[in-house]
Amino acid sequence: MDHQYTRFLNDIASERKESLLRLTFNEQSESADMIKMGGGMPNPKLFPIREGSLTLADGRKITLNETLMEEALQYGSSNGYGPLMKQIESLTQRFHAPPCWPNTMMFVTAGSQSGLSLAIEAMISKGDYIIIDSPCYSGILAITDPYKPRYLGVEADAGGMKPESLRSVLSPWNPQKAREATHGVPRFLYTNPNGCNPTGGITTTERRKEIYKIASEYNIIILEDDPYYFIQFRDQKVIISEILKLMGEDGFLEHVKKVQEFYRNQRDKMLDAATKHLSGLCQWDVPAGGMFFWMKVVGVTDTLKLTKKLSKTKQVIVIPGTGFLPHDNQPSPYIRISFSMTTQQEMDEGCRRIAELLKEETAVNK
């Protein structure tokens, strides 16, 4: 591993070595004369599934013949299924054009949560400093909480993480000394920049540049969680690869446009319902992406009991803001409302019931 990255690894990750089995597997020749007696590959003759077919929403079908099915069920490269890797690399270059692309390594995981878990658990040690969005996606807190970290929450709003807040939380450290330190300094920054869960904000280009500049000054790795850039899907080798092959990149993007229109329409319906019933009772920014409204309940310091009562007495489920703060005993005046699955009628009725409870609570408190 490049020495520039060794400071980011915890003691356990630093001791890991490449598997001899994997190295041997990757170096195997595909020559017809090669007799492969090294690997512990299961014999495909015993695979229980021979073929399969899928039907896309537009009626087109994908058939997984016996060869493709064997590839799907067989062990493969640690980085991921080769054809899918090439397709993802093509999309990444097309939309992100990463710098230093020839030096970039990519691999496929079982989803963003899995990838983040692998990365974080290679870097974090007990009691480490961790820089996060505030509020933060609760799934990250589930990974990091057992390490009892010292969280450095950076304020975020509809425009994403605030660079001035990032500088503030880093102010106790001298940038030059922090660059080479292996302990006692934050080593990575976690952020969810597009359609942030829970705020729905999108980090502006100007802020992204400033955040990158600050991270470079302190030599901090940025872990960017971006599940909402296109759509959410789990990487299922053969299946996703075959869909991309059938659709082509342009066909895939046409599908993305339909998905974006659907969620934009859902967002607008929820905005109408919230404006109608919750104006004056809650405050919010209109989400620029994702699937959620992040609402501040006026006059309430902690929504935990409120959301429990809402579920029990009004049959409406929303998530209390405390679930998105490090150490979930912190009070929060916020609630997260999802608009991904609800109908317009459910949105209207749900917001009406929330308003009803808030008015009842206000009357009781008075």
Side-chain angles (χ1 to χ4, degrees):
M1 175 171 287
D2 191 310
H3 73 279
Q4 295 179 49
Y5 289 93
T6 55
R7 93 163 188 95
F8 298 102
L9 300 179
N10 58 31
D11 292 341
I12 293 176
S14 297
E15 293 297 322
R16 296 193 186 280
K17 302 291 188 291
E18 289 185 275
S19 165
L20 180 60
L21 288 174
R22 278 291 155 183
L23 288 172
T24 304
F25 178 88
N26 293 333
E27 291 171 359
Q28 284 183 150
S29 166
E30 292 302 320
S31 167
D33 296 330
M34 176 68 70
I35 299 175
K36 301 177 182 178
M37 300 176 68
M41 310 281 280
N43 194 310
K45 292 178 181 178
L46 300 178
F47 290 163
I49 305 172
R50 293 297 178 196
E51 295 181 346
S53 63
L54 300 167
T55 303
L56 273 62
D58 61 8
R60 287 183 291 173
K61 292 184 180 295
I62 293 174
T63 299
L64 305 181
N65 59 32
E66 193 163 340
T67 300
L68 286 173
M69 189 60 75
E70 281 188 12
E71 290 182 11
L73 299 176
Q74 187 58 274
Y75 293 163
S77 167
S78 299
N79 285 7
Y81 180 57
L84 178 59
M85 292 286 292
K86 291 178 181 178
Q87 291 160 323
I88 293 176
E89 287 171 359
S90 176
L91 285 168
T92 301
Q93 286 180 286
R94 178 170 178 174
F95 290 97
H96 300 292
C100 306
W101 180 251
N103 298 325
T104 298
M105 290 183 66
M106 181 179 289
F107 66 96
V108 179
T109 69
S112 63
Q113 186 85 3
S114 172
L116 288 164
S117 180
L118 289 170
I120 290 172
E121 291 183 352
M123 291 189 284
I124 190 173
S125 297
K126 203 134 192 172
D128 274 359
Y129 289 99
I130 299 179
I131 304 171
I132 58 171
D133 296 305
S134 183
C136 181
Y137 169 50
S138 57
I140 293 303
L141 302 177
I143 296 171
T144 55
D145 273 347
Y147 292 90
K148 306 298 181 187
R150 288 172 282 185
Y151 290 107
L152 301 174
V154 181
E155 294 178 20
D157 58 19
M161 181 177 276
K162 297 179 179 180
E164 62 272 21
S165 179
L166 175 59
R167 281 204 178 276
S168 177
V169 301
L170 285 169
S171 61
W173 291 278
N174 175 285
Q176 192 57 43
K177 291 182 179 179
R179 288 187 62 80
E180 301 302 326
T182 57
H183 296 87
V185 298
R187 288 183 277 190
F188 68 88
L189 175 159
Y190 166 83
T191 186
N192 179 198
N194 292 317
C196 176
N197 180 0
T199 67
I202 292 182
T203 307
T204 64
T205 301
E206 293 73 20
R207 287 189 181 183
R208 290 173 197 251
K209 290 179 178 178
E210 187 62 23
I211 290 167
Y212 180 80
K213 179 182 176 183
I214 296 169
S216 297
E217 288 176 18
Y218 285 85
N219 196 19
I220 292 171
I221 284 181
I222 298 175
L223 291 181
E224 184 175 300
D225 186 9
D226 201 3
Y228 303 118
Y229 188 86
F230 288 128
I231 54 174
Q232 295 183 86
F233 58 81
R234 292 172 63 89
D235 293 309
Q236 302 291 341
K237 71 174 185 177
V238 180
I239 296 175
I240 296 300
S241 178
E242 291 301 304
I243 290 173
L244 285 172
K245 190 185 298 181
L246 181 65
M247 286 184 166
E249 285 188 2
D250 291 335
F252 170 69
L253 294 180
E254 283 299 316
H255 172 66
V256 168
K257 286 182 182 178
K258 293 178 183 178
V259 173
Q260 290 172 336
E261 277 300 314
F262 172 82
Y263 284 115
R264 183 184 295 113
N265 191 37
Q266 289 288 96
R267 187 272 315 267
D268 292 344
K269 289 175 183 176
M270 181 61 81
L271 178 60
D272 289 342
T275 302
K276 177 181 177 182
H277 296 290
L278 298 175
S279 293
L281 298 171
C282 297
Q283 299 170 347
W284 62 85
D285 290 312
V286 179
M291 304 174 177
F292 312 104
F293 269 78
W294 182 243
M295 294 187 174
K296 184 178 183 180
V297 182
V298 176
V300 174
T301 57
D302 189 11
T303 56
L304 183 59
K305 290 182 180 179
L306 186 74
T307 55
K308 289 180 179 178
K309 191 170 185 179
L310 182 65
S311 173
K312 186 176 181 179
T313 66
K314 303 296 181 182
Q315 301 298 298
V316 177
I317 296 176
V318 299
I319 308 299
T322 187
F324 303 94
L325 297 176
H327 310 306
D328 57 11
N329 59 348
Q330 292 186 59
S332 170
Y334 289 89
I335 57 175
R336 191 196 74 175
I337 299 179
S338 172
F339 53 80
S340 63
M341 296 288 288
T342 47
T343 65
Q344 185 170 9
Q345 182 178 352
E346 288 170 334
M347 292 177 194
D348 187 77
E349 178 61 15
C351 288
R352 187 196 68 77
R353 294 183 191 180
I354 294 171
E356 186 175 70
L357 178 64
L358 292 179
K359 290 173 182 176
E360 290 172 3
E361 291 293 297
T362 300
V364 169
N365 291 335
K366 283 183 178 179

